């Protein structure tokens, strides 16, 4: 009996310790899947009111006085996240603006606002623009036309966390100009044509994203990153000369700019260089860009630029060299680039200690390779898996696939990319009577930087090769937690009888990356995966999550969804939550637990949202809020033998304004350890001391304290 009591006390102590240390901090989660909306006027479940139309204004100037602006009929909203101030459908001829700019927002740090569908022209004078933001945050500029101004759009002097998206900025000096300590902004999906400069980021501007912009026929550079601007991402932009030959450089990085990423941009017909890195720019990454027909050099690393990585780029038909380093451009990496030159002008390496290897040097453009790597038949579907790769063994950028099956066009929605270069094609089954009865599958594939590829093959599908299927697989999302640190998803896999399927093969891709190794089978048909957090900014594309689930005797399940969690949708957190177990009773009939939830100031939290799973079953409906921050739950008693696996208890607790808490623990209660009176002793003072020690001095101190406690108990028993 003494032995049993000791077991009981140890289990109770360990349970309390685990709850005490499980202070994993998460932000509030959103129930169910987060659906993307391209409409930036949709906030917190309600659509913003559309404004009227105004064309009688010569300027708008707001210097941290939005409340005054809101008194006018051309401004609505209250500046909150859910109801931002909105300026829209306004046309301004700024030629007579006393501020020089059409719309000028200054020192706005606390209010959310949107400027959309406005047309501003004739803004003149140094650093004046169609739209000008200064020392301002939380702004969204979308679908505006800022043509024929000194500057199209300008942000300067500590503008942060703003979004400039889908605007037209043509025929300005610079189309978009970001200047002096402007950080964490998004410049996306804009069009800048016939400007002197396209997009400029200069003087200590860090952690900005410039992506999916189209820049055409500029006089100077397409995109410029200058003067100590670091950790910026320049991706998926299209920069080219079409009607003129004036654009000097596509992308220009100069003067002490480091750790920038230049990724998947297309640069065509630059007068001098496609991409140029110049003057003390170090540790930049240039990869998977396409640079063609530059007058001099495709990608050029100038003198005194070190430790830059130029990898996996396509450089075709550029003048002097496809890729080149200058004297004193040392310790750079130039690897796995595909270079095409009819004149055999490939690499000019004039620096020292550069790592130049694995590059492909070709006189003509490479071709694609297409292979059928798998096929299987169901009674109502024939699935073919294709691998599309470069003739060099690299992953191409596939732009379009047009496919026919037995002379009938295959719908695009039947062609699914399951990972880079790997496609599943769903076809209508056609069964062959003999092996001489063949059906034609043919296709045309277009990929960037490759010749167009036509491919055909004849396939045989026999009736006896059909897989016998007994049931379908059903998937249900039972919990999802989205935070800045991670996206946690728990889902169940069931058959049509709602019975759990525990033996499955699951593959999950997140943003094109195979994350299947991170899946955890937590029992009773429940599966858990923690994904890398990808927070997108307004008008960025949502992130693709696609899953394939198969099990013996079941029809394979495939689905995909797009998630869009934006940075402003993550609520601000004011405090953390703590949990204390105040009572626990374990018997043959039930496990009863009473716990309190309180904040960092020791005030009780009585309005928490709690979800609890016991042995894989959601038992949240059994939680009782008994007031004053106290909660009670009675669990089904599960007693296990010493050689059996322990039982999983996992819990999520959230409350408005607090960091969401998630934890899991395994409980093993030996039948021999249950007392004759049918309950476990309640938590003793020494257990409270141990939990407190754990929070103060950590696990080593608790181990020492626990040993002392057990020795004392042993002496007492003896």
């Amino acid at each position: 009996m003494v032995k049993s009591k000791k077991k009981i006390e140890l289990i109770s102590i360990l349970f309390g310790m685990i709850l005490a240390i499980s202070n994993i901090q998460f932000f509030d989660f959103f129930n169910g899947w987060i659906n993307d909306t391209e409409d930036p006027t949709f906030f917190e479940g309600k659509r913003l009111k559309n404004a009227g139309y105004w064309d009688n204004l010569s300027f708008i100037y707001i210097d941290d006085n939005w409340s005054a602006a809101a008194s006018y009929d051309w401004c609505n909203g209250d500046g909150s996240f859910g109801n931002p101030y909105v300026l829209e459908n306004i046309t301004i001829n700024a030629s007579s603006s006393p501020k020089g700019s059409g719309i000028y927002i200054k020192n706005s740090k606390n209010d959310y606002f949107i400027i959309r569908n406005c047309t501003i022209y004739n803004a003149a004078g140094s650093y004046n623009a169609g739209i000008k933001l200064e020392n301002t945050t939380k702004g969204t500029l979308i679908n505006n036309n800022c043509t024929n101004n000194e500057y199209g759009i300008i942000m300067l002097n500590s503008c942060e966390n703003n979004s400039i998206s889908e605007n037209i900025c043509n025929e300005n000096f610079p189309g978009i100009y970001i200047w002096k300590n402007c950080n964490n902004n998004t410049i996306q999906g804009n069009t800048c044509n016939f400007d002197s400069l396209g997009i400029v980021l200069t003087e200590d501007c860090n952690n900005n994203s410039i992506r999916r912009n189209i820049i055409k026929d500029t006089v100077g550079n397409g995109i410029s990153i200058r003067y100590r601007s670091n950790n910026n991402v320049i991706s998926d932009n299209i920069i080219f000369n079409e009607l003129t030959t004036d654009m000097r450089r596509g992308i220009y990085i100069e003067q002490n700019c480091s750790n920038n990423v230049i990724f998947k941009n297309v640069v065509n017909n630059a007068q001098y260089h496609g991409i140029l890195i110049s003057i003390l720019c170090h540790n930049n990454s240039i990869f998977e860009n396409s640079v063609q027909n530059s007058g001099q050099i495709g990608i050029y690393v100038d003198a005194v630029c070190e430790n830059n990585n130029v990898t996996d780029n396509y450089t075709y038909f550029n003048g002097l060299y496809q890729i080149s380093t200058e004297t004193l451009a040392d310790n750079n990496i130039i690897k796995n680039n595909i270079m095409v030159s009819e004149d055999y002008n490939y690499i000019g390496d004039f620096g020292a200690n550069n790592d130049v290897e694995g590059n492909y040097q070709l006189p003509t453009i490479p071709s694609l390779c297409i292979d059928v790597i798998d096929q299987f038949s169901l009674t109502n579907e024939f699935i073919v898996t294709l691998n599309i790769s470069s003739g060099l063994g690299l992953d191409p950028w596939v732009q379009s696939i047009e496919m026919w099956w037995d002379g009938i066009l295959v719908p695009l929605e039947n062609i699914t990319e399951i990972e880079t270069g790997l496609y599943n094609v769903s076809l209508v089954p056609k069964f062959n009577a003999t092996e001489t009865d063949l059906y034609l599958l043919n296709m045309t594939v277009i990929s960037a930087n490759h010749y167009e590829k036509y491919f055909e093959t004849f396939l045989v599908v026999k009736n006896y090769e059909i897989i016998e299927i007994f049931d379908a697989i059903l998937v249900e999302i039972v919990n999802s937690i989205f935070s800045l640190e991670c996206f946690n998803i728990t889902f169940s896999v069931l058959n049509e009888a709602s019975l759990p399927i525990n033996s499955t093969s699951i593959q999950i891709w997140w943003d094109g990356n195979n994350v299947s190794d991170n899946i955890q089978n937590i029992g009773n048909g429940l599966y858990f995966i923690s994904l890398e957090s990808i927070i997108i900014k307004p008008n960025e594309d949502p992130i693709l999550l696609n899953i394939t689930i198969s099990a013996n005797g079941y029809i394979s399940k495939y689905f995909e969804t797009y998630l869009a969690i934006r940075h402003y949708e993550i609520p601000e957190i004011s405090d953390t939550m703590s949990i204390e177990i105040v009572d626990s009773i374990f018997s043959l009939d039930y496990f009863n637990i009473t716990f309190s939830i309180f904040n960092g100031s020791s005030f009780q939290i009585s309005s928490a949202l709690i979800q609890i799973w016991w042995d894989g079953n959601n038992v949240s409906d059994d939680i009782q809020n008994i007031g004053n921050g106290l909660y009670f739950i009675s669990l089904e008693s599960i007693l296990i033998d010493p050689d059996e696996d322990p039982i999983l208890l996992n819990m999520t607790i959230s409350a408005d304004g607090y960091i969401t808490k998630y934890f899991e623990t395994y409980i093993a209660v030996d039948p021999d350890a249950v007392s004759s009176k049918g309950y476990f002793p309640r938590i003793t003072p020494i257990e409270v001391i141990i939990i407190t020690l754990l929070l103060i001095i950590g696990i080593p101190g608790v181990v020492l304290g626990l040993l002392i406690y057990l020795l004392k108990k042993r002496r007492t028993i003896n």
Side-chain angles (χ1 to χ4, degrees), residues 370-378 381-388 398 401 403 410-428 441 443 459 505 507-509 514 546-550 556-560:
I370 302 175
D371 299 296
V372 176
I373 62 173
D374 194 14
Q375 65 183 71
F376 66 94
S377 303
L378 306 174
E381 186 179 24
F382 177 42
I383 298 176
V384 176
T385 303
L386 300 174
N387 183 51
I388 302 176
V398 175
I401 301 175
M403 185 180 301
V410 177
L412 287 177
E413 56 267 25
N414 289 15
I415 305 171
T416 304
E417 186 174 17
I418 56 177
E419 60 181 82
T420 304
L422 201 63
Y423 296 82
N424 271 350
V425 183
S426 176
L427 304 172
V428 176
L441 177 69
M443 68 196 74
L459 301 177
S505 174
Q507 289 188 303
I508 297 180
W509 293 266
N514 192 325
N546 48 335
I547 304 175
T548 298
I549 303 175
S550 58
S556 293
K557 176 74 173 180
Y558 172 81
F559 66 87
E560 64 181 37

Side-chain angles (χ1 to χ4, degrees), residues 35-42 47 142-143 166 188 212 536-542 564 566:
N35 294 318
D36 176 56
T37 172
E38 290 298 327
D39 187 350
T41 69
F42 195 81
R47 192 172 302 281
I142 184 168
N143 288 329
E166 312 296 336
Q188 173 180 289
R212 291 179 49 217
I536 69 170
K537 297 182 179 179
N539 295 293
E540 288 186 340
D541 290 335
R566 297 186 173 91

Side-chain angles (χ1 to χ4, degrees), residues 318-492:
N318 299 287
L320 297 178
Y321 296 104
Q322 306 312 305
I323 299 175
S324 182
T325 61
E326 187 53 87
T327 304
L328 300 180
D330 303 332
N331 303 306
N332 298 285
I333 296 173
I334 303 174
K335 285 186 177 181
N336 301 328
N337 300 282
I338 299 177
M339 292 171 270
V340 177
S341 172
E342 295 174 339
D343 301 321
Y344 304 98
N345 297 326
Y346 298 119
I347 296 180
D349 181 18
F350 302 101
N353 299 315
N354 292 308
D355 185 1
V356 181
E357 62 177 331
N359 299 286
Y360 300 88
Q361 302 177 0
L362 308 171
T364 59
I365 297 173
S367 299
L368 292 171
C369 292
I370 302 175
D371 299 296
V372 176
I373 62 173
D374 194 14
Q375 65 183 71
F376 66 94
S377 303
L378 306 174
T379 55
N380 60 350
E381 186 179 24
F382 177 42
I383 298 176
V384 176
T385 303
L386 300 174
N387 183 51
I388 302 176
S389 64
S390 168
L392 303 172
L394 304 176
D395 294 326
W397 306 347
V398 175
Q399 296 172 312
S400 69
I401 301 175
E402 193 171 24
M403 185 180 301
W404 296 264
W405 172 233
D406 194 31
I408 299 174
L409 184 67
V410 177
L412 287 177
E413 56 267 25
N414 289 15
I415 305 171
T416 304
E417 186 174 17
I418 56 177
E419 60 181 82
T420 304
L422 201 63
Y423 296 82
N424 271 350
V425 183
S426 176
L427 304 172
V428 176
K430 296 177 181 293
F431 301 111
N432 308 79
T434 68
E435 291 191 6
T436 60
D437 295 332
L438 304 176
Y439 294 103
L440 175 64
L441 177 69
N442 58 325
M443 68 196 74
T444 298
V445 180
I446 297 176
S447 176
N449 309 302
H450 291 75
Y451 281 123
E452 179 180 301
K453 177 71 174 182
Y454 174 79
F455 172 81
E456 65 178 37
T457 186
F458 290 90
L459 301 177
V460 178
V461 185
K462 301 173 184 177
N463 284 324
Y464 58 79
E465 293 178 330
I466 298 175
I467 300 171
E468 187 176 3
I469 299 297
F470 302 104
D471 206 347
I473 295 175
L474 305 177
V475 180
E476 180 182 358
I477 305 300
V478 297
N479 191 31
S480 55
I481 300 175
F482 299 90
S483 76
L484 291 175
E485 288 81 13
C486 59
F487 292 176
N488 289 346
I489 297 170
T490 302
F491 57 96
S492 64

Side-chain angles (χ1 to χ4, degrees), residues 121-372:
Y121 57 98
N122 288 337
S126 181
Y127 301 113
N128 290 319
I131 300 176
K132 181 176 182 178
L133 305 183
E134 182 173 2
N135 189 33
T136 288
T137 65
K138 303 177 182 176
T140 297
L141 280 54
I142 184 168
N143 288 329
N144 301 288
N145 190 330
C146 297
T147 296
N148 194 22
N149 300 281
E150 184 72 15
Y151 291 63
I153 295 173
I154 185 171
M155 289 197 300
L156 70 157
N157 298 333
S158 303
C159 287
E160 297 186 345
N161 298 307
N162 298 288
S163 173
I164 302 176
S165 302
E166 312 296 336
N167 301 283
I168 297 173
C169 299
N170 297 338
E171 300 180 57
N172 305 287
F173 167 48
I176 299 174
Y177 197 78
I178 317 298
W179 182 37
K180 287 188 177 180
N181 300 296
C182 293
N183 305 318
N184 300 303
N185 300 288
T186 298
I187 300 93
Q188 173 180 289
N190 303 283
T191 299
C192 300
N193 297 335
F194 305 105
D195 298 300
S196 295
L197 298 167
I199 298 174
V200 180
L201 196 69
T202 184
E203 293 191 35
D204 305 291
C205 292
N206 306 315
N207 299 303
N208 298 284
S209 173
I210 302 174
R211 64 190 300 264
R212 291 179 49 217
N213 301 283
I214 297 175
I215 302 169
K216 183 179 75 170
D217 292 318
T218 60
V219 176
N221 305 314
I223 296 176
S224 300
I225 310 296
R226 309 174 64 197
Y227 300 112
R228 305 170 306 279
S229 294
N230 306 315
N231 299 302
N232 300 287
V233 177
I234 301 95
S235 69
D236 300 288
N237 301 283
I238 299 175
I239 307 166
F240 63 106
N241 271 329
E242 182 181 52
L243 302 178
T244 72
T245 58
D246 294 333
M247 182 179 72
R248 294 183 175 87
R249 306 169 190 90
I251 299 174
Y252 186 24
I253 315 293
E254 67 163 336
Q255 294 282 359
N256 293 283
C257 295
S258 299
N259 297 303
N260 298 286
V261 175
I262 300 96
F263 170 63
K264 269 195 174 179
N265 301 281
V266 175
V267 180
N268 289 339
N269 303 321
Q271 184 178 359
Y272 300 134
H273 311 114
I275 299 174
L276 171 61
I277 300 177
S278 179
I279 309 174
L280 296 170
C281 291
H282 310 309
N283 299 301
N284 298 285
S285 297
I286 303 97
F287 63 102
E288 295 190 25
N289 301 281
S290 173
V291 182
Q292 300 186 26
N293 298 307
S294 303
Q296 295 183 2
I297 299 171
I299 300 176
Y300 184 28
V301 182
D302 205 352
V304 204
C305 293
E306 298 185 353
N307 298 305
N308 298 286
N309 190 337
V310 182
T311 302
D312 294 330
N313 299 281
Y314 294 86
T315 56
Y316 291 1
F317 306 115
N318 299 287
L320 297 178
Y321 296 104
Q322 306 312 305
I323 299 175
S324 182
T325 61
E326 187 53 87
T327 304
L328 300 180
D330 303 332
N331 303 306
N332 298 285
I333 296 173
I334 303 174
K335 285 186 177 181
N336 301 328
N337 300 282
I338 299 177
M339 292 171 270
V340 177
S341 172
E342 295 174 339
D343 301 321
Y344 304 98
N345 297 326
Y346 298 119
I347 296 180
D349 181 18
F350 302 101
N353 299 315
N354 292 308
D355 185 1
V356 181
E357 62 177 331
N359 299 286
Y360 300 88
Q361 302 177 0
L362 308 171
T364 59
I365 297 173
S367 299
L368 292 171
C369 292
I370 302 175
D371 299 296
V372 176

